[in-house]
């Protein structure tokens, strides 16, 4: 009997190395890249082997569907993201996809059908590591993307539109009982399978994203299994956690501009040093978050210094700010203070600045009824039910606009994530699989109540 949890972890390991990374010396899988395409091809195979019908939607989400007892039944959605941060761990995202596939594989092996369909989704962009803003793919499915949000380009100036229009992975033939020459449906057209997936006229990026929105009512629930990315479960000796909600997130892009100058001849009192100003801003971000207390966190994670020469006083600095809290008012208050401080220090230092709010993700509570079902399912696996808030963002916070959501956390070693040292055991993954399978059965029993 295959240990589904161990196989789910092993498949994340397989996806953790070339050709599933866009960088040779680390795991980095961005949105609409060759590594993304290669990963979808591999995942589509696994979905096909588990008896699913595979399609690529207009937002490049890979969706494997396992039909219910009736055709076109409403679906339980299970999934997570396939993209990663730079120098990532192997499990943040992919584990929620491979565990979803294991849930369906066990039903398929038993020849079981449920009163609802199951769709396993590999969202292509959750981290926002290529384009400004994040969660493009779950927002596309949830129907919460507005067209303007798609007018973005990556750091090489490649528009999201272009990147989507030229992205054509060729997931191999997937789906139950499909012989040679079967077709691989995409949400825009049926195309004969095989490499490369030739899309005579690929959906124009923007239209594809907007067309990916699922019909209201078509999804009964969204379930996401994810590593905790924090130390709590391990500290309490627990394998599983029941997520009660996801913290609110704000993301800003800040530009501070001074005057580049000669490092040798620019007197200190005459300088308008953009990096010294940005450094003061970074310390203000840290201090304000610390003073805010509770679960408030704020981070400057990315910074670019221009012109970036040893002997030039920096004239321009661009950096990100990420502010989060389970308490939206506390998050907003901290953000306000940070922006005010940037304005004050810029004024004092004779700097210009521009602050763009790139993303505002409200706090997202999980559905109480689903939490109760998932709590019972966890208890039935013999594990204590530990409720906790997620400080990390997840696609579930976006999917709650489409349907009720539930999240299952899995212990990860030392709580490390967004780091190649990220680690999870096959045993804990198997406990999660058992809880997910029990949750699905409970959903089936109560379906239509
Ligand atoms: O930023 C986050 O919390 C998630 O990893 N995207
Ligand atoms: Mn994640
Ligand atoms: Mn992440």
């Amino acid at each position: 009997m295959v240990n589904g949890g161990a196989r789910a972890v092993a498949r994340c390991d397989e996806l953790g190395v070339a050709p599933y990374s866009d960088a040779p010396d680390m795991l980095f899988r961005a949105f609409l890249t060759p590594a993304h395409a290669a990963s979808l091809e591999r995942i589509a195979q696994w979905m096909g082997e588990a008896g699913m019908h595979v399609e690529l939607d207009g937002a490049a989400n890979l969706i494997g569907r396992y039909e219910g007892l009736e055709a076109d039944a409403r679906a339980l959605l299970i999934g997570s993201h396939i993209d990663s941060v730079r120098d990532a761990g192997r499990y943040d995202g992919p584990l929620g996809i491979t565990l979803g596939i294991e849930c369906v594989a066990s039903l398929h092996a038993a020849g079981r059908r449920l009163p609802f369909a199951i769709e396993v989704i590999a969202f292509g962009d959750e981290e926002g590591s290529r384009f400004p803003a994040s969660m493009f793919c779950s927002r596309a499915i949830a129907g919460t993307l507005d067209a303007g949000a798609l007018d973005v380009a990556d750091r090489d100036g490649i528009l999201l539109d272009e990147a989507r229009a030229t992205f054509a992975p060729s997931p191999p033939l997937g789906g139950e009982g499909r012989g040679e020459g079967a077709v691989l449906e995409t949400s825009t057209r049926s195309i004969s399978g095989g490499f490369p997936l030739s899309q005579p006229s690929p959906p124009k990026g923007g239209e594809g994203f907007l067309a990916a929105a699922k019909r209201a009512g078509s999804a009964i629930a969204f379930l996401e299994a994810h590593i905790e990315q924090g130390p709590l479960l391990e500290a309490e000796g627990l394998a599983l956690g029941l997520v009660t909600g996801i913290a609110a997130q704000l993301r800003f892009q800040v530009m501070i501009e001074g005057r580049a100058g000669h490092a040798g001849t620019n007197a200190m009192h005459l300088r308008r040093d953009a990096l010294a100003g940005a450094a003061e801003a970074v310390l203000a971000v840290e201090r304000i978050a610390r003073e805010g207390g509770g679960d408030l966190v704020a981070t400057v994670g990315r910074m670019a210094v221009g012109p970036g020469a040893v002997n030039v006083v920096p004239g321009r600095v661009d950096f990100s700010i990420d502010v989060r809290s389970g308490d939206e008012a506390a998050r907003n208050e901290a953000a306000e203070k940070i922006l005010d401080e940037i304005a004050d220090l810029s004024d004092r230092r004779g700097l210009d600045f521009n602050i763009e709010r790139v993303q505002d993700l409200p706090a997202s509570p999980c559905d109480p009824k689903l939490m109760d079902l998932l709590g019972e399912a966890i208890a039935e696996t013999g594990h204590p039910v530990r409720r906790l808030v997620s400080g990390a963002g997840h696609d579930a916070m976006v999917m709650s606009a489409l349907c009720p959501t539930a999240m299952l956390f899995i212990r990860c070693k030392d709580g490390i994530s967004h780091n190649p040292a990220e680690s999870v055991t096959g045993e804990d993954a198997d406990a999660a699989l058992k809880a997910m399978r029990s949750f699905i059965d409970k959903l089936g029993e109560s379906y239509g109540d």
Side-chain angles (χ1 to χ4, degrees), residues 358-421:
V358 174
Q359 187 134 47
D360 177 354
L361 289 171
S364 171
C366 292
D367 179 77
K369 268 182 32 200
L370 294 181
M371 278 167 46
D372 289 345
L373 274 187
L374 188 51
E376 287 166 26
I378 293 171
E380 279 175 18
T381 60
H383 289 274
V385 183
R386 173 62 157 93
R387 291 172 176 242
L388 71 167
V389 171
S390 172
H394 301 285
D395 289 303
M397 71 200 297
V398 166
M399 293 299 281
S400 58
L402 178 72
C403 59
T405 63
M407 275 204 81
L408 176 65
F409 268 176
I410 302 156
R411 168 172 47 191
C412 60
K413 192 165 174 341
D414 302 332
I416 291 177
S417 182
H418 285 188
N419 179 316

Side-chain angles (χ1 to χ4, degrees), residues 150-311:
L150 297 163
D151 293 338
V152 288
D154 66 12
R155 281 191 288 283
D156 300 325
I158 300 175
L159 293 170
L160 176 62
D161 247 356
E162 277 167 67
R164 176 62 191 94
T166 52
F167 179 75
S170 323
L173 305 184
E176 193 178 29
R178 299 161 68 102
E180 274 310 302
V183 291
L184 175 76
E185 311 291 330
T186 67
S187 51
T188 46
R189 58 179 37 66
S190 303
I191 293 163
S192 65
F195 306 151
L197 180 70
S198 59
Q199 296 184 21
S201 55
K204 195 164 166 357
E207 294 148 26
F209 281 86
L210 301 178
K214 280 193 176 295
R215 240 178 337 95
S218 62
I220 55 174
F222 174 67
L223 171 64
E224 183 167 6
H226 201 289
I227 53 171
E228 179 202 345
Q229 299 179 296
L232 188 148
L233 292 177
E234 184 178 61
E236 296 185 9
L238 302 172
L240 304 177
L242 175 58
V243 177
T244 56
I246 302 170
Q249 270 185 42
L250 271 175
R251 265 193 200 184
F252 298 96
Q253 186 58 35
V254 182
M255 185 279 294
I256 289 184
E257 193 152 41
R259 187 183 55 216
H262 194 299
T265 57
N266 235 192
M268 293 309 288
H269 68 289
L270 297 176
R271 290 186 177 195
R272 290 169 51 218
D273 183 334
L275 182 53
E280 191 176 335
V282 172
L283 292 176
V285 167
E286 183 188 48
R287 172 174 40 79
I288 290 166
R290 282 215 170 120
E291 287 167 356
D295 67 353
L296 180 67
V297 287
T299 313
V300 174
R302 185 163 59 204
M303 181 176 278
V305 180
V310 171
N311 57 354

Side-chain angles (χ1 to χ4, degrees), residues 81 85 92 126-127 135 229 249 251 322 324 391-394 418:
H81 57 98
V85 294
D92 168 12
E126 186 270 352
E127 301 285 5
M135 313 255 187
Q229 299 179 296
Q249 270 185 42
R251 265 193 200 184
D322 174 312
R324 307 186 191 196
H394 301 285
H418 285 188

Side-chain angles (χ1 to χ4, degrees), residues 15 42 50 84 115 136 143 174 181 206-207 225 254 346 349 370 389 410 438:
L15 295 176
R42 190 74 180 102
S84 79
F136 276 106
E207 294 148 26
V254 182
S346 298
R349 288 170 170 269
L370 294 181
V389 171
I410 302 156
S438 167

